[in-house]
């Protein structure tokens, strides 16, 4: 078997595993929606190296906002519970990403803009720019935006006060 065939097989195996994670998560979340008597459709995808599952609604998303909570706290908890459900089924740690009513997508847009703006500020000032403490998801988005702007960044501090520092 050639390296190309081996790589293609590994890619297919990874994709199959991530799709399986998405299906397990979708089943778990459908059960949760039934218990909570909430309407929502489940969308599954694979984004990079992780399964991505979204709960969306065609109508008003007010009911789904209950699953997001203040500042996404409920969403974070549900993501962890969903990851645990996947782990229970597969025996593997999951990096699954959950979005509800587009909350994470909107937050990603804002954080990308924040990272780009902080990179510009660090370039102009020639000094590091420290941002407010963030969750791991938020930091990852900012790190990616800073890298796309051509600068480096690092995280400093201990949870829950861990923050991104953009380096000039």
């Amino acid at each position: 078997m050639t390296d190309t065939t081996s790589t293609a097989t590994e890619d297919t195996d990874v994709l199959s595993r991530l799709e399986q994670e998405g299906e397990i998560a979708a089943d778990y979340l459908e059960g949760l929606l039934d218990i909570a008597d909430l309407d929502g459709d489940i969308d599954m995808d694979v984004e990079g190296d992780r399964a991505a599952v979204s709960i969306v609604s065609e109508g008003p998303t007010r009911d789904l906002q209950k699953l997001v909570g203040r500042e996404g706290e409920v969403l974070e908890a549900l993501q962890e519970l969903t990851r645990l459900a996947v782990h229970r089924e597969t025996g593997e740690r999951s990096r699954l990403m959950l979005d509800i009513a587009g909350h994470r997508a909107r937050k990603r847009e804002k954080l990308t803009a924040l990272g780009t703006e902080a990179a510009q500020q660090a370039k102009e000032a020639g000094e590091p720019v420290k941002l407010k403490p963030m969750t791991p998801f938020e930091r990852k988005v900012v790190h990616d935006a800073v890298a796309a702007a051509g600068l480096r960044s690092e995280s400093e501090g201990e949870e829950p006060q861990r923050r991104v520092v953009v380096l000039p």
Side-chain angles (χ1 to χ4, degrees):
M1 185 157 43
T2 65
D3 286 341
T4 307
T5 306
S6 170
T7 303
T9 302
E10 290 172 16
D11 289 349
T12 302
D13 290 347
V14 169
L15 183 60
S16 294
R17 182 179 53 79
L18 293 175
E19 288 173 345
Q20 178 190 19
E21 284 185 16
E23 290 172 12
I24 293 166
D27 289 344
Y28 176 79
L29 292 166
E30 284 175 359
L32 179 78
L33 289 173
D34 286 345
I35 291 168
D37 195 29
L38 296 172
D39 288 329
D41 295 321
I42 311 275
D43 287 341
M44 294 180 301
D45 199 4
V46 173
E47 294 177 1
D49 60 349
R50 62 175 62 189
V53 179
S54 300
I55 301 175
V56 296
S57 176
E58 290 185 17
T61 60
R62 192 174 311 124
D63 283 347
L64 290 182
Q65 290 303 319
K66 295 174 188 173
L67 297 179
V68 172
R70 191 180 55 123
E71 299 293 316
E73 291 168 340
V74 177
L75 170 58
E76 291 290 336
L78 286 174
Q79 177 174 277
E80 284 307 308
L81 289 172
T82 305
R83 286 177 174 175
L84 286 171
V86 171
H87 181 264
R88 186 186 67 224
E89 292 288 322
T90 65
E92 301 277 325
R93 184 177 179 277
S94 174
R95 295 182 59 235
L96 176 129
M97 185 65 65
L98 175 62
D99 192 6
I100 299 174
H103 175 80
R104 238 185 249 283
R106 287 187 301 277
K107 191 162 200 148
R108 182 177 279 128
E109 285 179 25
K110 290 177 184 174
L111 289 166
T112 298
L114 174 66
T116 304
E117 188 178 300
Q120 187 63 38
Q121 189 179 354
K123 274 183 193 175
E124 290 172 3
E127 294 182 10
V129 174
K130 290 185 178 187
L131 301 176
K132 67 177 180 61
M134 298 178 188
T135 66
F137 163 76
E138 294 168 335
R139 290 193 308 269
K140 166 91 170 85
V141 173
V142 172
H143 284 305
D144 290 348
V146 170
L151 290 183
R152 285 184 333 103
S153 58
E154 55 189 35
S155 294
E156 70 175 23
E158 299 294 322
E159 295 292 350
Q161 296 300 312
R162 198 151 169 83
R163 69 182 69 237
V164 173
V165 178
V166 181
L167 305 171

